[in-house]
Amino acid sequence: MTLLDGKKLSEELKLEIAEEVKQLTATGRKQPHLAAILVGNDGGSLTYVGHKVKSCEQVGFKSTLLHFDDSITEEFLLDEVKKLNENSDVDGFIVQLPLPKHINPDKVIMSIDPKKDVDGFHPVNVGKVTLGLPAYVSATPLGITKILERYNIETAGKHCVVIGRSNIVGRPMSILMSGQAKTGNATVTICHSKTKNLKEITLQADIIIAALGKPEFLTGEMVKEGAVVIDVGTTRVVDTTTKSGWRLKGDVKFDEVSVKSSAITPVPGGVGPMTVVSLLLNTLKAAKNEVN
Ligand code: GUN
C-alpha cells in the first residue's frame, strides 16, 4: 500500500513555486499577490485562511487578509470585492466560505472578476473547466489531480467513483476525471445521498474519491482489493486528548480501507495540504496572466 503523502508533496510543490517566484522577480516582475476575504470567526475558516496566508509567505508571495465582522452587509462585501477586482496589485483573491446566512454566496462569487477568481468558483471558470478550456480549476480538485499525477496513478479507462456532489469538490472532480487530460479519461460514477446500493457501486471502483463530509463513512467492506482511495473529508470531532479539544476525521475508515487499497491519502496530511498549494498554483497562473 502506498501512502499518498499530500504533506510531503505540497512541500515539494511549494519549493518549485518559490523557485519560479525568484525567477519572475529576478526579471523585474512584481511578487504574485493573493488576497483573502474572511467574514466572521468560524473556527475552520480561520484555520484555513491562516494556512493560506502562511503558505504565501513560504513561497515569496505577497498576501493580504481582509477580515470583517459577521455583521457586515452584503452590499459592503460586494463593494470590497469590487475594490479587489479593480486593484491592479492583486493578482487573485478568494472569499472564504461559508458566509453568514444574510449574505448570498452565489451573488458574491458572481461578482468576482473571473480573471482573479483563483478559487475557480465563478461560473465562467466552472464552464471553461467543463469545456476543457484554460481556466482556474478549484483548489481541492486540482490538488487531487496533482496527487494522482505525481504518484503516477493511471486514470485512463479506470472506473472512478466520486461520493458527494458539492460544487467545490464532487462535481468538478467528476468532470476532471472524465475529461480528456492526462489525469482523466476515466469512466466516472457520481454518487450522492439519494444513490441506491452505494456499496455495489463502490465495490466496482478502481478509484474512489470520498467527498461527502461524513466521518469514516467508507468502510473496508465497501472497497475492492487494490483500489486507490482519496479521502477529502475534514470533519472536526471532539477529542479531549488534544490541545485544541478536537481532531480531523476523514470520510474513510482508514484502518479498514488502507489494508485493502493499493494507495490511500491520510487525514490529516493528504488532500488538505494539496488544496492550499493548489491555490498558490492558481495565483501564480494569475500573476503570469495565463488565464484570460
Ligand atoms: N471553504 C471550504 N473550502 C473552501 C475553498 O476552497 N475556498 C473558499 N473560498 N472557501 C472554502
Side-chain angles (χ1 to χ4, degrees):
M1 184 273 290
T2 306
L3 190 73
L4 303 169
D5 189 341
K7 178 100 181 67
K8 183 163 150 257
L9 184 51
S10 72
E11 295 304 332
E12 284 168 22
L13 283 165
K14 276 192 227 168
L15 289 177
E16 291 174 24
I17 296 170
E19 191 50 44
E20 216 175 322
V21 172
K22 262 193 211 150
Q23 284 171 16
L24 268 183
T25 50
T27 62
R29 301 270 289 268
K30 71 173 192 65
Q31 277 175 291
H33 183 181
L34 173 71
I37 295 181
L38 174 63
V39 184
N41 290 300
D42 173 74
S45 294
L46 282 167
T47 310
Y48 294 139
V49 172
H51 285 316
K52 289 170 187 175
V53 169
K54 189 167 155 244
S55 299
C56 281
E57 286 163 14
Q58 286 174 341
V59 298
F61 285 8
K62 187 173 164 185
S63 68
T64 300
L65 173 61
L66 300 170
H67 190 179
F68 302 115
D69 194 84
D70 58 9
S71 63
I72 62 164
T73 62
E74 185 177 279
E75 197 187 0
F76 177 90
L77 182 56
L78 291 172
D79 195 49
E80 289 300 318
V81 168
K82 185 164 177 278
K83 283 190 216 160
L84 290 176
N85 283 339
E86 289 166 359
N87 182 343
S88 60
D89 191 60
V90 172
D91 297 296
F93 66 96
I94 63 157
V95 178
Q96 187 65 29
L97 303 177
L99 289 167
K101 293 228 170 349
H102 64 279
I103 299 178
N104 179 346
D106 293 335
K107 203 167 164 189
V108 174
I109 288 166
M110 282 199 260
S111 72
I112 298 173
D113 179 347
K115 290 199 234 13
K116 293 192 175 189
D117 168 40
V118 285
D119 252 336
F121 289 173
H122 191 286
V124 165
N125 282 310
V126 177
K128 284 183 174 177
V129 169
T130 306
L131 296 173
L133 298 171
Y136 298 113
V137 175
S138 61
T140 302
L142 181 61
I144 294 169
T145 62
K146 295 279 170 205
I147 293 176
L148 296 171
E149 203 179 293
R150 294 269 176 146
Y151 276 92
N152 291 314
I153 290 170
E154 181 61 78
T155 57
K158 304 287 180 190
H159 184 196
C160 174
V161 172
V162 179
I163 314 173
R165 56 178 159 182
S166 71
N167 289 340
I168 293 184
V169 187
R171 207 176 283 272
M173 204 61 233
S174 68
I175 287 162
L176 291 174
M177 293 302 285
S178 61
Q180 287 189 25
K182 191 167 163 271
T183 305
N185 290 308
T187 304
V188 178
T189 303
I190 182 156
C191 301
H192 45 76
S193 53
K194 300 283 189 293
T195 299
K196 291 191 178 126
N197 308 322
L198 183 70
K199 185 178 152 192
E200 260 174 44
I201 300 169
T202 56
L203 275 171
Q204 294 170 33
D206 302 306
I207 302 170
I208 301 178
I209 299 173
L212 69 159
K214 283 196 179 158
E216 299 189 327
F217 178 85
L218 192 80
T219 56
E221 57 165 29
M222 296 169 80
V223 178
K224 180 173 81 174
E225 201 71 44
V228 173
V229 179
I230 305 289
D231 188 350
V232 190
T234 50
T235 307
R236 285 182 173 193
V237 295
V238 174
D239 185 344
T240 49
T241 65
T242 65
K243 209 166 78 185
S244 58
W246 56 266
R247 72 190 165 96
L248 283 186
K249 258 214 173 134
D251 289 348
V252 175
K253 202 158 193 178
F254 188 87
D255 293 349
E256 284 181 24
V257 175
S258 59
V259 291
K260 294 186 90 177
S261 61
S262 60
I264 186 168
T265 59
V267 174
V271 174
M274 292 303 294
T275 295
V276 179
V277 89
S278 298
L279 182 65
L280 301 178
L281 286 169
N282 279 346
T283 306
L284 189 60
K285 260 190 176 183
K288 296 196 296 186
N289 290 313
E290 283 178 358
V291 176
N292 286 299

